[in-house]
Amino acid sequence: GGQVEAHEIEQAKKDLDERSFRQEYEASFETYTGVVYYNFDREQNVKPVKYQPDSIIHVGLDFNIDPMSGCLFHVKNGVSEFFDEIVIYSSNTDEFIDELLQRYPKNKIIIYPDPACRQRRTSAGGRTDLTLLQNAGLNVKCKNTHALVRDRINSVNSRLKNFDGNRNILIDPSCKNLINSLTKQMYKEGTNIPEKSGHDHMTDALGYAIEYIFPISSNLPPSKPKRFS
């Protein structure tokens, strides 16, 4: 409608996936049915990815007893390269930390947990998941409140494939739980609410990290009624 500058539209095509772009910039009504992560493609997003001993490890973390789920990745030239995952059943935050630091004791690690970690307690003594992570020497990046589920999903879909067709999430074939979850998580029929079918744990972990690092924000200028122009 002439209210958005051309350079912003071009930037939005790099930041947003096709569905989000149509909704935000073309006033299209988009339905949310079927597979949640519709931009995931095994042929395009699953590629051999190598662990880099000298690089920062980013970790998305979802707290659950069955299972604790974490996905590990490097960020290289704006591309998130997932090289490992941690899935532990009948577990807790202490055990997850032990496993993470045993696998990667020398890397700098930044972890992006569920914001509920600020209140959630996994043990006695008043300790929260947040304090457990911090006391282990991990750099914790955590928002004060949850992002909208839809925003988290849109962030992931936009990184899986943006409007211009670029894919900024690559996943090593060894990350079978993450791949399986992206393939199979569905919306509840007739809603935009993802099913809690067991496939949500790893994708939630993915979403916490991706939405924090690459949030989707709209820069549309505020509209002003013509009578006030």
Side-chain angles (χ1 to χ4, degrees), residues 16-27:
L16 302 176
D17 64 276
E18 293 177 83
R19 181 181 291 182
S20 298
F21 182 86
R22 291 196 302 264
Q23 179 174 272
E24 297 295 329
Y25 285 86
E26 297 179 349

Side-chain angles (χ1 to χ4, degrees), residues 12 29 31 35 39-40 52 69 75 84-85 89-90 93 95 108 130 133-134 137 149 183 187 190 195-196 228:
F29 178 77
T31 59
V35 177
N39 271 344
F40 175 71
Q52 304 292 334
S69 301
V75 178
D84 198 5
E85 61 183 15
Y89 287 85
S90 300
T93 304
E95 289 185 356
K108 178 179 179 181
L130 177 60
L133 295 169
Q134 291 174 331
V149 173
T183 302
Y187 284 111
E195 290 181 346
K196 294 292 184 179
F228 295 134

Side-chain angles (χ1 to χ4, degrees), residues 117-122 126-133:
C117 69
R118 295 181 180 277
Q119 294 83 33
R120 186 177 183 277
R121 297 181 179 182
T122 58
R127 298 188 302 166
T128 66
D129 287 324
L130 177 60
T131 59
L132 292 174
L133 295 169

Side-chain angles (χ1 to χ4, degrees), residues 7-163:
H7 71 85
E8 181 184 332
I9 294 175
E10 292 305 311
Q11 184 61 47
K13 289 180 179 179
K14 295 180 174 63
D15 295 339
L16 302 176
D17 64 276
E18 293 177 83
R19 181 181 291 182
S20 298
F21 182 86
R22 291 196 302 264
Q23 179 174 272
E24 297 295 329
Y25 285 86
E26 297 179 349
S28 171
F29 178 77
E30 299 295 323
T31 59
Y32 293 87
T33 58
V35 177
V36 174
Y37 297 98
Y38 55 87
N39 271 344
F40 175 71
D41 186 314
R42 282 180 179 268
E43 297 297 323
Q44 301 296 323
N45 292 107
V46 179
K47 304 286 184 182
V49 172
K50 292 184 178 180
Y51 158 62
Q52 304 292 334
D54 298 325
S55 296
I56 296 172
I57 295 177
H58 301 267
V59 183
L61 175 60
D62 184 52
F63 299 104
N64 280 285
I65 295 176
D66 284 316
M68 291 284 292
S69 301
C71 50
L72 288 65
F73 62 102
H74 301 303
V75 178
K76 184 177 180 181
N77 298 323
V79 177
S80 302
E81 300 184 347
F82 289 80
F83 61 88
D84 198 5
E85 61 183 15
I86 298 176
V87 179
I88 311 175
Y89 287 85
S90 300
S91 186
N92 56 46
T93 304
D94 287 304
E95 289 185 356
F96 182 90
I97 293 170
D98 289 344
E99 178 63 23
L100 176 64
L101 296 182
Q102 183 177 347
R103 292 190 193 186
Y104 304 102
K106 297 182 179 181
N107 289 79
K108 178 179 179 181
I109 298 174
I110 303 176
I111 193 161
Y112 307 84
D114 179 349
C117 69
R118 295 181 180 277
Q119 294 83 33
R120 186 177 183 277
R121 297 181 179 182
T122 58
S123 62
R127 298 188 302 166
T128 66
D129 287 324
L130 177 60
T131 59
L132 292 174
L133 295 169
Q134 291 174 331
N135 290 343
L138 299 169
N139 186 353
V140 183
K141 302 289 187 180
C142 178
K143 293 187 174 182
N144 292 326
T145 59
H146 286 88
L148 294 175
V149 173
R150 187 178 68 180
D151 288 346
R152 203 166 69 225
I153 291 171
N154 286 345
S155 292
V156 173
N157 272 320
S158 298
R159 303 302 293 178
L160 288 168
K161 180 186 175 185
N162 66 15
F163 185 92

Side-chain angles (χ1 to χ4, degrees), residues 194-214:
E195 290 181 346
K196 294 292 184 179
S197 59
H199 299 301
D200 55 303
H201 302 313
M202 189 60 80
T203 53
D204 283 352
L206 170 69
Y208 296 136
I210 293 299
E211 197 279 331
Y212 191 101
I213 303 173
F214 305 105

